[in-house]
Amino acid sequence: MKAIQIFFVLLISTLGCSCNKTFVNPAEPRIEDLLKTQDGIVEIVIGIKNRFAVNGNLGTGALFNSITANGFSTNELLLRPGGNQDFNQLFAGKQNLATNNLVLKELWSNCLLINNYCTLIKANINNVQDPALRDYILKYVNLYRALSIGVLVNFWEKVPVNTSANADFMDSTEALKFCNALLNEAALLPNIQPAQNYLTR
């Protein structure tokens, strides 16, 4: 009987220690590796564009979710009976809106990811060798960073502008001033066409 008990204790402890819920996709490049090369940074920019505007396997883009959240919460969009539960919550408003509403969760997470990727690209922009392409990428990341923060401001009173672990939340007026500064910075960059158009995908 004692041997059976020891066997079960060992079995449970082995199963508990060997369970790893973090799965690494070997085919997916790491963001740290992509930031080291010009081509990798271009791929991240294309990913930012898709995350903002395209509905794909990562969920719905920030643009779709912002239009949806705004349209249903202001009654500008008509919701037919039996529609999506998350849309129903936005349409009903007030206490009917759950904290796990998928539209708002995807809107929040996509905009924060875009902001983070733009910040990382800007910090590693010297890894882009082509000067004209470097300026184009800086314009793109400033534009998309301003767009992501600006979208969040439409739905939350305070938003994180910086991407550090314990970033402070900035009120909407200050966040919009930050967005304006980003756009002004982008407007001052030279408008020279790169030799190859990398960013059309």
Side-chain angles (χ1 to χ4, degrees), residues 75-90:
N75 293 335
E76 292 174 35
L77 294 176
L78 179 65
L79 184 67
R80 296 185 180 277
N84 183 300
Q85 181 183 355
D86 298 302
F87 295 172
N88 283 325
Q89 291 174 5
L90 291 166

Side-chain angles (χ1 to χ4, degrees), residues 26-187:
E28 184 179 323
R30 297 185 323 141
I31 189 81
E32 297 84 2
D33 296 330
L34 289 173
L35 288 166
K36 292 175 184 175
T37 66
Q38 177 173 292
D39 289 342
I41 289 174
V42 168
E43 291 298 325
I44 299 172
V45 173
I46 293 165
I48 288 169
K49 291 169 63 177
N50 290 338
R51 190 172 281 280
F52 186 80
V54 176
N55 299 338
N57 59 354
L58 297 174
T60 49
L63 184 61
F64 173 84
N65 284 318
S66 64
I67 293 169
T68 303
N70 180 70
F72 287 134
S73 60
T74 59
N75 293 335
E76 292 174 35
L77 294 176
L78 179 65
L79 184 67
R80 296 185 180 277
N84 183 300
Q85 181 183 355
D86 298 302
F87 295 172
N88 283 325
Q89 291 174 5
L90 291 166
F91 192 71
K94 298 181 181 176
Q95 71 275 8
N96 299 298
L97 191 61
T99 54
N100 64 345
N101 183 279
L102 192 61
V103 175
L104 295 179
K105 279 176 69 176
E106 286 191 351
L107 180 64
W108 179 263
S109 59
N110 276 329
C111 287
L112 289 185
L113 281 169
I114 290 166
N115 187 6
N116 183 50
Y117 292 153
C118 290
T119 304
L120 289 172
I121 289 173
K122 208 165 182 180
N124 292 275
I125 196 64
N126 289 332
N127 292 333
V128 178
Q129 291 80 33
D130 183 346
L133 178 61
R134 190 184 309 138
D135 289 337
Y136 256 63
I137 289 174
L138 283 172
K139 286 182 181 186
Y140 267 87
V141 296
N142 276 17
L143 170 66
Y144 279 102
R145 192 172 183 204
L147 282 171
S148 65
I149 295 168
V151 165
L152 290 178
V153 165
N154 284 321
F155 299 97
W156 285 275
E157 291 180 1
K158 293 188 175 184
V159 297
V161 169
N162 297 316
T163 58
S164 56
N166 296 310
D168 292 328
F169 279 59
M170 192 179 283
D171 68 67
S172 56
T173 305
E174 293 302 313
L176 287 175
K177 286 180 182 176
F178 184 83
C179 293
N180 193 45
L182 287 171
L183 295 174
N184 287 335
E185 183 184 318

